[in-house]
Amino acid sequence: MAGVLRLVLGDQLSHNISSLTDCDKQNDVILIAEVREEATYVKHHKKKIVLIFSAMRHFAAELTEAGYTVAYRYYDDPDNQGSLLDEVKCALRRFDCSSVVVTFPGEYRLLQSMQQWQQVLGVLVDIRPDNRFISTPEQFSDWADGRKQWRMEYFYREMRKQTGLLMEGSQPIGGKWNFDHDNRKSMPSDIRPPKPYTVAPDNITQSVISLVEDVFNDHMGSARDFCYAVTREQAMEVAKQFIKQRLPSFGDYQDAMREGDVWLFHSHLSFYLNCGLLLPLEVMQMAEQAYFNNAAPLNAVEGFIRQILGWREYVRGFYWHCMPALKHDNFFEHSRALPDFYWTAHTNMNCMRQCIGDTKKHAYAHHIQRLMVIGNFSLLAGLDPVAVNEWYLLVYADAYEWVEMPNVSGMILFADGGKLASKPYIASGQYINRMSDYCKNCGYAVSKKTGAKACPFNYLYWDFLIKHQHTLSKNPRMALIYKSLWRMSEETISDMQEQAQALLSKLDSA
Ligand code: FAD
Ligand code: DLZ
Ligand code: SF4
């Protein structure tokens, strides 16, 4: 009997994924393929490619061990076809399969391509819902349609009710849905976060590292010091270590930044949640259990669960609801090219040097570094949303378009005109100084708005508000900021505008 060809993508490495649920060990073939098209449609960071290829190879070995027939295609196989479609075509012929089953992909471009496959291949192609998420794209669209504002907080409450996480009947545990008020402390210098979990590369990972250093040598970063988890078992160790060592302080120091420590009290689970080694529901249940066991306080546990049940689910729904228009959204009509220092980290702004440096080194930066430093600069400097999206998609090892684009076009760039965020996430250097120790080691003075030593975030911030006063001053959430702006002297305002213009012209001519 001709079996079914089951394609598993590099970010679908979950044993209970919908494409494998009814897999027949006798007749079906599971195809997992390293292909040029996926590895190079943007120049992914070397560590991201190592993570995905090594996790794919380990996952294939686990499936084989469990008795499945796996067709694994290595990047350097001489007859590697270079694209998922061509690999599927080849495998259908080779194994004489009668249909294809695949789980809904994480990117619009791939879905569009897959929707043509049935016609191109001449066999049934069953694209199944991704059962790893708590909500479906349709559910988000139903929720969003007819609402004037799509605030994450309200979607999150629906998700809490649906899952029963941190609920007492129909009410939130602790009497409140959100404990953010207790979070976001700056971090005292004597607090020492635990060391991150690391794994020494085994033979499989070592051979991927060599491949990546060889074939993708012009991609960002280095693969040589790769030490992330690449199996479900290892990823589960990362999760357990987080729950035990970091979760109790997660809420308190969620927004803190410290020079030389990118990991702090964050979970570092996005790498594994997004490629399927861990499931969102299981890690949220682990956190909830820590609260029930009095091992972590409610503000930390609720804060962590909100990131996954709220933000993660919300941005996925938002992505599918807003694509393909989201890709071209450009509310402020910004068009500036990325400065060179986005690639080199060579800049006198210490906050940008640290955050881009961390990104280059680890293919990771935590949320506030992505949002309030690099994202903040990207918006204040008027960078082109297409270029910024491409950068974020390639530099982070957890980046797939479904999660990257809403965060970039919606959260940091306000390119969607305010569908995701009620106001632009912008801030002057004062915020960065309050939440980090970066300003201490910076050549600029965070207290200064004008003059040679003035912090660029200060004058860019006020210049941005002046430039966009006609649209933004009408926003009630911006009223106080505009009040402070109009209290400044004309001289200060024009000096800041001049300095901003000089810096932006310098970026243009570099
Ligand atoms: P933690 O701080 O420990 O948070 C726990 C989990 O919550 C994360 O693992 C993640 O799954 C989820 N989460 C938290 N915030 C968000 C969010 N805003 N959107 C979706 N999930 C969230 N996250 C990605 O997974 N991939 C991306 O490509 C990505 N790009 C981003 C780009 C920008 C401009 C910004 C501002 C944020 C982006 N995020 C992205 C969200 C967030 O920064 C990362 O999820 C987080 O830094 C991952 O580190 P962590 O696992 O230690 O997170
Ligand atoms: C990110 C990535 C990379 C680098 N390489 C592959 C690959 O060779 N084969 C594969 O199946 N998937 C890869 N991926 C993940 C895909 O790009 C991902 O499935 C889509 O972007 C949809 O989220
Ligand atoms: Fe960044 Fe300004 Fe602080 Fe320097 S002074 S680290 S540029 S915020």
Side-chain angles (χ1 to χ4, degrees), residues 310-326:
W311 279 114
R312 189 171 187 271
E313 291 293 321
Y314 173 90
V315 298
R316 178 174 183 254
F318 183 93
Y319 174 76
W320 289 109
H321 190 70
C322 297
M323 282 299 278
L326 183 64

Side-chain angles (χ1 to χ4, degrees), residues 195-248:
K195 284 199 163 55
Y197 180 91
T198 55
V199 184
D202 63 6
N203 289 343
I204 295 180
T205 305
Q206 274 171 16
S207 71
V208 178
I209 291 173
S210 303
L211 171 88
V212 168
E213 283 295 350
D214 184 25
V215 178
F216 304 100
N217 61 349
D218 60 339
H219 288 216
M220 195 189 240
S222 165
R224 297 212 187 282
D225 52 348
F226 180 91
C227 58
Y228 301 146
V230 288
T231 65
R232 176 170 164 77
E233 203 183 323
Q234 294 165 357
M236 198 38 103
E237 285 307 312
V238 182
K240 285 186 195 152
Q241 195 219 43
F242 164 69
I243 300 286
K244 199 163 156 207
Q245 300 183 359
R246 290 165 203 268
L247 178 62

Side-chain angles (χ1 to χ4, degrees), residues 163-326:
T163 55
L165 283 163
L166 291 182
M167 296 293 288
E168 254 167 348
S170 61
Q171 294 307 309
I173 286 182
K176 281 197 301 184
W177 294 100
N178 183 319
F179 289 81
D180 241 5
H181 176 70
D182 305 342
N183 294 340
R184 303 177 170 170
K185 301 188 174 104
S186 51
M187 188 158 54
S189 56
D190 58 344
I191 298 272
R192 295 269 162 267
K195 284 199 163 55
Y197 180 91
T198 55
V199 184
D202 63 6
N203 289 343
I204 295 180
T205 305
Q206 274 171 16
S207 71
V208 178
I209 291 173
S210 303
L211 171 88
V212 168
E213 283 295 350
D214 184 25
V215 178
F216 304 100
N217 61 349
D218 60 339
H219 288 216
M220 195 189 240
S222 165
R224 297 212 187 282
D225 52 348
F226 180 91
C227 58
Y228 301 146
V230 288
T231 65
R232 176 170 164 77
E233 203 183 323
Q234 294 165 357
M236 198 38 103
E237 285 307 312
V238 182
K240 285 186 195 152
Q241 195 219 43
F242 164 69
I243 300 286
K244 199 163 156 207
Q245 300 183 359
R246 290 165 203 268
L247 178 62
S249 300
F250 175 84
D252 287 353
Y253 303 125
Q254 207 178 331
D255 287 9
M257 297 176 279
R258 183 181 279 176
E259 190 164 329
D261 190 348
V262 71
W263 309 108
L264 301 175
F265 288 97
H266 290 272
S267 69
H268 328 138
L269 295 181
S270 54
F271 298 157
Y272 315 118
L273 287 169
N274 294 356
C275 73
L277 296 182
L278 293 176
L279 299 174
L281 192 56
E282 71 187 351
V283 300
M284 290 190 287
Q285 285 167 339
M286 286 164 75
E288 188 190 39
Q289 196 54 49
Y291 170 68
F292 292 145
N293 295 346
N294 289 321
L298 188 54
N299 70 307
V301 174
E302 187 282 317
F304 176 69
I305 288 180
R306 176 158 25 88
Q307 303 313 310
I308 298 180
L309 189 60
W311 279 114
R312 189 171 187 271
E313 291 293 321
Y314 173 90
V315 298
R316 178 174 183 254
F318 183 93
Y319 174 76
W320 289 109
H321 190 70
C322 297
M323 282 299 278
L326 183 64

Side-chain angles (χ1 to χ4, degrees), residues 99 161 188 336 371 374 478:
S99 64
K161 289 181 205 155
R336 182 157 287 111
L371 176 67
I374 307 173
M478 310 284 286

